[in-house]
Amino acid sequence: MFPELNNLLNTTPDRAEQGKLTLLCDAKTDGSFLVHHFLSFYLKANCKVCFVALIQSFSHYNIVGQKLGVSLTTARERGQLVFLEGLKSSVDVFFRAQEEPHPLQFLREANAETLQPLYEFVREALKPVDSGEAAWRYPVLLVDDLSVLLSLGVGVVAVLDFVHYCRATVCWELKGNMVALVHDSVDTEDEENDVLLNGLSHQSHLILRAEGLATGFCRDVHGQLTILWRRALRTTAQREQILTYQYKIQDKNVSFFARGMSPAVL
Amino acid sequence: MLDSLLALGGLVLLRDSVECEGRSLLKALIKKSALCGEQVHILGCEVSEEEFREGYDSDINSRLVYHNLFRDPLNWSKNGKAFPEGPLGALRALCRRTDPGPVTVALDSLSWLLLHLPCTILCQTLHALSHRSSCPDSSSSMERVRVLGLLHEELHGPGPVGALSSLAQVEVTLSGMLSQTSANILYRRPRQRPTHQTQCFSILPDFSLNLQGMSTLESQPHPDPPTTQADPTAHLTFNLRLSEKEKEAKDSLTLPFQFSSEKQQALLCSGPGQATSCIFYEPDAYDDLDHEDPDDDLDI
C-alpha cells in the first residue's frame, strides 16, 4: 500500500470503513497501481480477501506485492487470500466435466446472460467459517477488472447484476468491502462500458479516477488522480468532496502532490 | 414549487446523475407523504432496507412498507424468499394492492427496472399503477396513486428516457455543484401547457426540504433564459444613414469614369483656361522621320 494515498483517503488499515464499494477507473493510462495498493492494504488489515484476477497472472501480483510488503503466496497458504487466476483457470473450463459449474462458465456460452457461477464462487470464498474464533476481520472482494468481462461477451446488465449480488452479499450481509476496476473508454465510444461505469458510479461510495495527462507522457508526472466521495445530499458538510492530485509511480512507492507542484518543476 | 410536487397525482420522475444524486430528494418527498398520513410503498432495488430507512424517525418508518428487491432480485439463492415472479411480478403486485386511501409508491430505482424489463412493459405497468382504480364496482372515478420514480439518466438512451418522460406528470431534473443544488421542474397538467420552474434547494439531515430561490418560465419546456439582445446599430464608428444634404451631394457627384455629355464637350474643345503645350523634338542622324500622317486612312 502507498502511505501517501492512505493519507489522502484519510484511512489506515486499522480503521478503514466497512460496507463500502470503491470504484477504480482509469482513462488513457494504467490504473492497476490502485489495485496493487488496495490488495496490499486489505491484506495488511488482516482481512479475508477474494481476488478475482482476470488480467494478470498470480506471479505478477505476487512480485508487485512483495515490493509493497505483502506475500501473496503466504497469504494464500494460510487461507487469507482466495485467488481466482483468470488466465490459468479459463483453460480448465474446457477440460472439466461439464456438470461441475466453473466460475468462468460464461466463456463456454455464446451469449452469456448471467455471471451467477462467478458470484457463487465469491460467496463460497468469503462466507464466514465456523471455526469458533474470527480469524480475519471482514471480507473484501477485489476485481481486476470488470471491463474485460464486457470484452469477453458478457452483457452489461449481467455484469451489473453480478456487482449487485456481490454488493448485497459482501458489503451488506457480511459488512465487508468491495473494490473493482473499470476502464473508461474516453476516445472509443463504447456505450456498454459507459453504462457499466455510470451504473457503478451511482452505487459507489468512493471513486478513484486515474487519468493520463492531457499533454501526453511526462517523465516526472505520470498522471492525475481524482478522488470523489459520494455522500448523500443531506450531510451538512460539502455535498461531494472532490480532490485532484498528480502522481509519479516509483519502484516501491507512488508519490502524490498537488497539481503543478511536482518536485521536478519546483 | 418543489413542495407542491405531491399535490398532483400520477408519475413524478426524478432524474439524477452521478454528480448530483437524487435519492435524498426521493427520501425527502417520501417523508412529506408520510407526514400527510399516507402509506408509502417502496420498491427497493438498489440499496438495502436498512440504508433506505436510515435517517427516518420511527413514526415515519412505521408508515413505510419496503418491498425488498435488493437482496435477491433474480432469485439466485433459490431459498424461496425472493419474489416468485421477479421484478415484474413485484411491480404488478403493487398495482393489485387493495388498501384504501391515498397512497404513494416510490420506485428506487426506475433505472434498475428499465435495465431488467422491456421498456414497453414497464411503461404499461407504470401507467396502470398511476391510474389505478381502487374499487372496480364503485362509481367513483379512478383513484390517482402518486408514483415517485428515480431515474439515472446517463444509463439509458434517449428513447426509453423520452418514453418515461412522456408518461410523467412532473419531471424534476437535478443539477448543481457542491453546495448549490437546483431542480428544474417541468409540470405537465392535463389540457394545459407545460410549465417550467427552477428551484434551488437543500436537504437537511432529517430529510426535510429547505427551499431557496425560485424562478418561473411559462410555456417553455426547455427554455434558455431570454437575454436582451444588444442593439447592434448602437455605438458604431461609421454612419449607417445619410442626412439630406449628404444625399444631395452624393447624387450630384459625377463619377470619374462616367462619360457624360459635359465630359464629352470638355474633351472636344480644349477650354480657354488651358495652357497649350508644345513638344520640341530634335531628330538625330538615325531617325527615320516619315512626314506622312499614319492616321490618314482612318475615316474619322
Side-chain angles (χ1 to χ4, degrees), chain B residues 115-136:
Chain B
L115 286 174
H116 290 84
L117 301 173
C119 182
T120 47
I121 294 183
L122 178 63
C123 289
Q124 286 166 0
T125 316
L126 277 181
H127 185 79
L129 183 60
S130 48
H131 290 83
R132 203 183 69 90
S133 174
S134 54
C135 303

Side-chain angles (χ1 to χ4, degrees), chain A residues 189-207:
Chain A
E189 300 213 351
D190 188 344
E191 288 175 6
E192 287 205 332
N193 201 46
D194 290 340
V195 170
L196 176 64
L197 183 61
N198 287 324
L200 287 182
S201 301
H202 276 283
Q203 300 173 20
S204 310
H205 301 95
L206 174 64
I207 302 176

Side-chain angles (χ1 to χ4, degrees), chain A residues 86-133:
Chain A
L87 292 172
K88 199 163 87 169
S89 63
S90 58
V91 187
D92 294 339
V93 177
F94 299 99
F95 297 117
R96 263 168 101 135
Q98 265 193 291
E99 303 87 44
E100 304 164 25
H102 190 276
L104 302 181
Q105 192 68 29
F106 61 88
L107 290 172
R108 290 208 78 142
E109 293 155 21
N111 291 316
E113 292 298 334
T114 173
L115 288 173
Q116 188 177 355
L118 188 58
Y119 160 71
E120 300 288 350
F121 169 84
V122 170
R123 194 168 61 104
E124 190 62 34
L126 290 179
K127 73 175 182 198
V129 179
D130 302 325
S131 61
E133 48 180 87

Side-chain angles (χ1 to χ4, degrees), chain A residues 217-233:
Chain A
F217 173 74
C218 171
R219 201 184 52 193
D220 299 302
V221 178
H222 290 152
Q224 185 164 289
L225 182 73
T226 307
I227 306 172
L228 172 63
W229 280 275
R230 292 193 81 243
R231 295 197 182 108
L233 273 176

Side-chain angles (χ1 to χ4, degrees), chain B residues 224-265:
Chain B
D224 299 309
T227 52
T228 49
Q229 290 285 334
D231 184 14
T233 58
H235 310 300
L236 288 174
T237 55
F238 50 88
N239 272 337
L240 278 182
R241 287 171 202 85
L242 295 171
S243 68
E244 286 303 319
K245 252 177 92 172
E246 286 168 337
K247 267 192 202 151
E248 280 171 37
K250 178 186 162 189
D251 289 338
S252 60
L253 186 67
T254 43
L255 295 172
F257 299 106
Q258 193 174 350
F259 196 69
S260 61
S261 55
E262 292 91 12
K263 228 175 189 173
Q264 190 177 19
Q265 292 302 316

Side-chain angles (χ1 to χ4, degrees), chain A residues 235-247:
Chain A
T235 52
T236 48
Q238 243 185 342
R239 183 174 59 82
E240 268 168 12
Q241 203 178 350
I242 305 177
L243 298 176
T244 308
Y245 296 94
Q246 290 178 338
Y247 62 86

Side-chain angles (χ1 to χ4, degrees), chain A residues 4-251:
Chain A
E4 287 185 36
L5 185 54
N6 285 342
N7 291 338
L8 295 181
L9 297 176
N10 199 20
T11 179
T12 61
D14 304 322
R15 50 178 188 87
E17 288 184 316
Q18 288 178 240
K20 303 291 177 201
L21 167 63
T22 302
L23 177 67
L24 311 173
C25 77
D26 58 15
K28 297 195 289 186
T29 189
D30 183 16
S32 56
F33 69 96
L34 295 169
V35 175
H36 295 297
H37 163 81
F38 281 102
L39 177 61
S40 56
F41 178 91
Y42 284 117
L43 284 176
K44 285 190 179 171
N46 213 24
C47 297
K48 176 119 189 234
V49 177
C50 175
F51 190 6
V52 176
L54 303 172
I55 300 294
Q56 300 281 6
S57 63
F58 177 81
S59 54
H60 171 90
Y61 294 104
N62 196 20
I63 290 171
V64 180
Q66 279 170 0
K67 289 187 186 177
L68 300 183
V70 290
S71 166
L72 298 194
T73 323
T74 315
R76 190 164 61 170
E77 278 162 12
R78 58 186 187 146
Q80 188 188 9
L81 174 66
V82 177
F83 195 96
L84 175 65
E85 189 172 351
L87 292 172
K88 199 163 87 169
S89 63
S90 58
V91 187
D92 294 339
V93 177
F94 299 99
F95 297 117
R96 263 168 101 135
Q98 265 193 291
E99 303 87 44
E100 304 164 25
H102 190 276
L104 302 181
Q105 192 68 29
F106 61 88
L107 290 172
R108 290 208 78 142
E109 293 155 21
N111 291 316
E113 292 298 334
T114 173
L115 288 173
Q116 188 177 355
L118 188 58
Y119 160 71
E120 300 288 350
F121 169 84
V122 170
R123 194 168 61 104
E124 190 62 34
L126 290 179
K127 73 175 182 198
V129 179
D130 302 325
S131 61
E133 48 180 87
W136 316 112
R137 284 175 62 203
Y138 51 86
V140 172
L141 170 64
L142 209 58
V143 184
D144 180 20
D145 59 49
L146 288 173
S147 298
V148 76
L149 292 173
L150 294 179
S151 307
L152 289 170
V154 185
V156 66
V157 179
V159 181
L160 284 174
D161 286 340
F162 165 71
V163 175
H164 178 110
Y165 267 87
C166 288
R167 202 162 55 90
T169 304
V170 177
C171 297
W172 173 70
E173 189 183 326
L174 302 175
K175 306 283 182 288
N177 285 342
M178 184 172 165
V179 181
L181 175 68
V182 177
H183 298 298
D184 189 3
S185 56
V186 180
D187 297 328
T188 63
E189 300 213 351
D190 188 344
E191 288 175 6
E192 287 205 332
N193 201 46
D194 290 340
V195 170
L196 176 64
L197 183 61
N198 287 324
L200 287 182
S201 301
H202 276 283
Q203 300 173 20
S204 310
H205 301 95
L206 174 64
I207 302 176
L208 296 177
R209 184 184 167 92
E211 277 176 297
L213 295 178
T215 43
F217 173 74
C218 171
R219 201 184 52 193
D220 299 302
V221 178
H222 290 152
Q224 185 164 289
L225 182 73
T226 307
I227 306 172
L228 172 63
W229 280 275
R230 292 193 81 243
R231 295 197 182 108
L233 273 176
R234 66 183 180 95
T235 52
T236 48
Q238 243 185 342
R239 183 174 59 82
E240 268 168 12
Q241 203 178 350
I242 305 177
L243 298 176
T244 308
Y245 296 94
Q246 290 178 338
Y247 62 86
K248 178 178 177 180
I249 302 178
Q250 292 144 352
D251 186 41

